[in-house]
Amino acid sequence: MPGQGWRVTERSYSHREILKILSGLLLALLTSMISTSVVGTALPTIVGDLGGQDQLSWVASAPLLTMTVSTPLWGKLSDLFGRKFMFQLSLVVFVLGSMAAGLAQNMAELISARAVQGLGVGGLSALTQVILGDIVEPRQRGRYSGYTGAVFGVSTIAGPLLGGFIVDADGLGWRWCFYVCVPLAAIAFIVIQKVLRLPRVRRDARIDWLGAFAITGGASALMLVLTLGGKQFAWNSPWTYGLGALSAALLALSIVAERRAGEPILPPRLFGDRTFVFTALASLFVGVTLFGGLIFLPQYLQIVKGMSPTMSGLTTVPMVVGLFLASVGSGRIVTVTGRWKVFPLVGMLLVALAMFLLSRLHVSSSRLIVGVDVAVLGVGLGLSMQILILAAQNGAKRADMAATTAGVTFFRSLGGAMGVAAFGAILTGRLNGEMAGMLRAAHAEVPAGGARLGSPEAIQRLPEPLHGIVLESFARAMETVFMVGVPIALLGFLAVLALRELPLRSGAGPAAARPLTEGDPASVP
């Protein structure tokens, strides 16, 4: 029953205790997620201060890289050394990275510090879900997990708005984009120390170092290809083939290592679990559309529509509202009914619809249309993200809870990296082609640097007809980017469709193997 707690670690947690713990977890998660989005608004100022325009992409890519490859490690380490200790350690790592980023004197130091930040964010994002899975039974978890999805949406908007305010404020400057997260993280650390009481379960186990090296190395090589391909080196180049071969070799080694390890990072048996495989696949596709949409929508708003970073953030508020209401509402309905599959099914269809609607935007589209489109995207994501993690946790054995949660989160982050890289390559290719064609048709010269036309402010100052050609080229390129997201979202729908709707359990054992059918009880006691 609600409020009675869930006995998984030799004790039960009341509704009030869960809310206290959740407040600390969400504060830490909010702080870390804001740190990943607050820098975007400040990047032009940072580059102007530190130099290194050619290294700009690494400032955004470095934390995404380390966050993705470290996610499975945090889950396994929490099995060995305790959830609370590893959560607080990830907070400390995050704070150290933030302080180092604020003190950076050149781009190399900033990129290194951002990589450390990403390590901490990887732990916070994975362990928040793991701890929630420990203290709340699956049947009641929906009412709480919806808030984690809402935090993600809030941080997406709060980050750019906060960054713009800090950069423009007298006496602050871009370094405070990193410092501002430190007191919030310290508060979260204290809250977790006071309210989280998880018994330490001592286990005689060794860390699978070979598996850790192979998984992180293989994922890192793949991420480097996705992040740098088409930018630092051509897709058809020795670097691409070399890093691709290295990634394949290390991932093959990880399979061998994980099969032989006594305590594998990602147990091979997970990939024999239908629920894990399809929730991981669906989360991968969610990540592609999520990060692809969030990264490139501001470019449309700032370049094509000529909005300031602050107004760009305000225009996407309907997405946050939609995501918040869908996350919280679906979570509460799941708690009451025990039925969960319909939400990610509808959610992925809405994401596909939203990507199609966004692909229809053009230079003269009104803000009302943009607001409606992003609201549909927010609702779709809110119905999908947290419910998929809930489904994966519900189908996992207690011993595999951390590995399952971290694994699904890992694939969502990997999908985000793939989405950013793929959509970026599509945008650049289509933009250059459209601009060259329109300039030739207008009997104008192609500007030096091709599509590298400077900041949105510089683009707005371009003379006609060049200004109109650039805006139209960007609008057409964005059309292709968002249109590519439609089939990707539909693949996510098919992955969810292949899932069996296992009843949400109310005990510590694994969910029943038989899927729900009409007339079945909603949960298994």
Side-chain angles (χ1 to χ4, degrees), residues 22 76 102 143 155 163 166 170 190-191 200 228 238 275 313 320 338 341 367 379 396 454:
L22 190 62
K76 173 51 62 179
R143 68 190 300 198
S155 66
I166 291 174
D170 294 333
I190 295 171
V191 171
R200 286 291 303 273
L228 302 181
T275 299
V320 178
K341 186 174 178 178
R367 293 186 181 182
V379 172

Coordinates of all heavy atoms in Angstrom, one line a residue, residues 22 76 102 143 155 163 166 170 190-191 200 228 238 275 313 320 338 341 367 379 396 454:
L22 N 14.2 11.5 -1.8 CA 14.1 11.9 -3.1 C 14.5 13.4 -3.3 O 15.0 13.8 -4.4 CB 12.6 11.7 -3.6 CG 12.3 11.9 -5.1 CD1 13.1 10.9 -5.9 CD2 10.8 11.7 -5.3
K76 N 28.0 -0.8 -11.0 CA 28.7 -2.0 -10.4 C 29.4 -1.6 -9.1 O 29.4 -2.3 -8.2 CB 29.7 -2.5 -11.5 CG 30.6 -3.6 -10.9 CD 29.8 -4.8 -10.2 CE 28.9 -5.5 -11.1 NZ 28.2 -6.6 -10.4
G102 N 35.8 26.3 -13.4 CA 35.8 27.7 -13.1 C 37.1 28.4 -13.0 O 37.3 29.6 -13.3
R143 N 4.9 6.9 -9.1 CA 4.6 8.2 -8.5 C 5.8 9.0 -8.1 O 5.7 10.3 -8.0 CB 3.7 8.0 -7.2 CG 4.4 7.4 -6.1 CD 3.5 6.9 -4.9 NE 2.8 8.0 -4.4 CZ 2.2 8.0 -3.2 NH1 2.3 6.9 -2.4 NH2 1.6 9.0 -2.7
S155 N 15.8 21.4 -15.9 CA 17.2 21.7 -16.1 C 17.6 22.2 -17.5 O 18.4 23.0 -17.7 CB 18.1 20.6 -15.7 OG 18.0 19.5 -16.5
G163 N 22.6 30.6 -17.4 CA 23.8 31.0 -18.1 C 23.8 32.4 -18.7 O 24.8 33.1 -18.5
I166 N 24.0 34.9 -15.8 CA 25.3 35.0 -15.1 C 26.3 35.7 -16.0 O 27.1 36.6 -15.6 CB 25.8 33.6 -14.8 CG1 25.0 33.0 -13.7 CG2 27.3 33.6 -14.4 CD1 25.3 31.5 -13.4
D170 N 26.7 42.0 -13.9 CA 27.9 42.7 -13.4 C 28.5 42.0 -12.2 O 27.8 41.6 -11.3 CB 27.6 44.1 -13.1 CG 27.2 44.9 -14.3 OD1 27.6 44.6 -15.4 OD2 26.4 45.9 -14.1
I190 N 24.7 17.0 2.0 CA 24.3 17.1 3.4 C 23.0 16.4 3.6 O 22.8 15.6 4.5 CB 24.3 18.5 3.9 CG1 25.7 19.1 3.9 CG2 23.7 18.6 5.3 CD1 25.8 20.6 4.2
V191 N 22.0 16.7 2.6 CA 20.7 16.1 2.7 C 20.8 14.6 2.6 O 20.2 13.8 3.4 CB 19.8 16.6 1.6 CG1 18.5 15.8 1.6 CG2 19.5 18.1 1.9
R200 N 24.7 -1.4 4.8 CA 25.8 -1.8 4.0 C 25.8 -3.4 3.9 O 25.7 -4.1 4.9 CB 27.2 -1.4 4.6 CG 27.5 0.0 4.5 CD 27.9 0.4 3.1 NE 28.9 -0.4 2.5 CZ 30.2 -0.1 2.7 NH1 30.6 1.0 3.3 NH2 31.1 -0.9 2.2
L228 N 33.9 13.4 -33.3 CA 34.9 14.1 -34.1 C 34.7 13.9 -35.6 O 35.2 14.6 -36.4 CB 36.3 13.8 -33.6 CG 36.6 14.0 -32.2 CD1 38.1 13.6 -31.9 CD2 36.4 15.5 -31.8
P238 N 41.4 7.4 -42.4 CA 42.1 6.4 -41.5 C 41.7 6.5 -40.1 O 41.6 5.5 -39.4 CB 43.5 6.6 -41.7 CG 43.6 7.3 -43.1 CD 42.4 8.1 -43.2
T275 N 13.2 -8.1 -21.7 CA 12.8 -6.8 -21.1 C 14.0 -5.8 -21.2 O 13.8 -4.7 -21.6 CB 12.3 -6.9 -19.7 OG1 11.1 -7.8 -19.7 CG2 11.9 -5.6 -19.2
G313 N 15.3 30.1 -24.8 CA 15.0 29.3 -23.7 C 13.5 29.4 -23.2 O 12.8 28.4 -23.0
V320 N 8.9 21.9 -21.4 CA 9.2 21.5 -20.0 C 7.8 21.3 -19.3 O 7.7 20.3 -18.6 CB 10.0 22.6 -19.3 CG1 10.1 22.3 -17.9 CG2 11.3 22.8 -20.0
G338 N -1.3 0.0 -12.3 CA -0.4 -1.1 -12.5 C -0.1 -1.3 -14.0 O 0.7 -2.2 -14.3
K341 N 2.7 -0.1 -20.1 CA 3.1 -0.1 -21.5 C 2.5 0.9 -22.4 O 3.2 1.4 -23.4 CB 2.9 -1.6 -22.1 CG 3.5 -1.8 -23.5 CD 3.3 -3.2 -23.9 CE 3.9 -3.4 -25.3 NZ 3.8 -4.9 -25.7
R367 N 5.7 31.9 -33.3 CA 6.1 31.3 -32.0 C 5.0 30.4 -31.4 O 5.4 29.5 -30.7 CB 6.4 32.5 -31.0 CG 7.6 33.3 -31.4 CD 7.9 34.4 -30.3 NE 9.0 35.2 -30.7 CZ 9.6 36.1 -30.0 NH1 9.0 36.4 -28.8 NH2 10.6 36.8 -30.4
V379 N 5.6 16.2 -24.1 CA 4.7 15.2 -23.6 C 5.1 13.8 -24.0 O 5.1 12.8 -23.2 CB 3.3 15.4 -24.1 CG1 2.3 14.3 -23.8 CG2 2.7 16.7 -23.6
A396 N 13.9 -6.9 -13.7 CA 15.3 -7.4 -13.3 C 15.2 -8.1 -11.9 O 14.4 -7.8 -11.1 CB 16.2 -6.2 -13.2
G454 N 29.7 32.5 -38.3 CA 29.9 33.3 -37.0 C 28.6 33.1 -36.1 O 27.8 32.2 -36.3

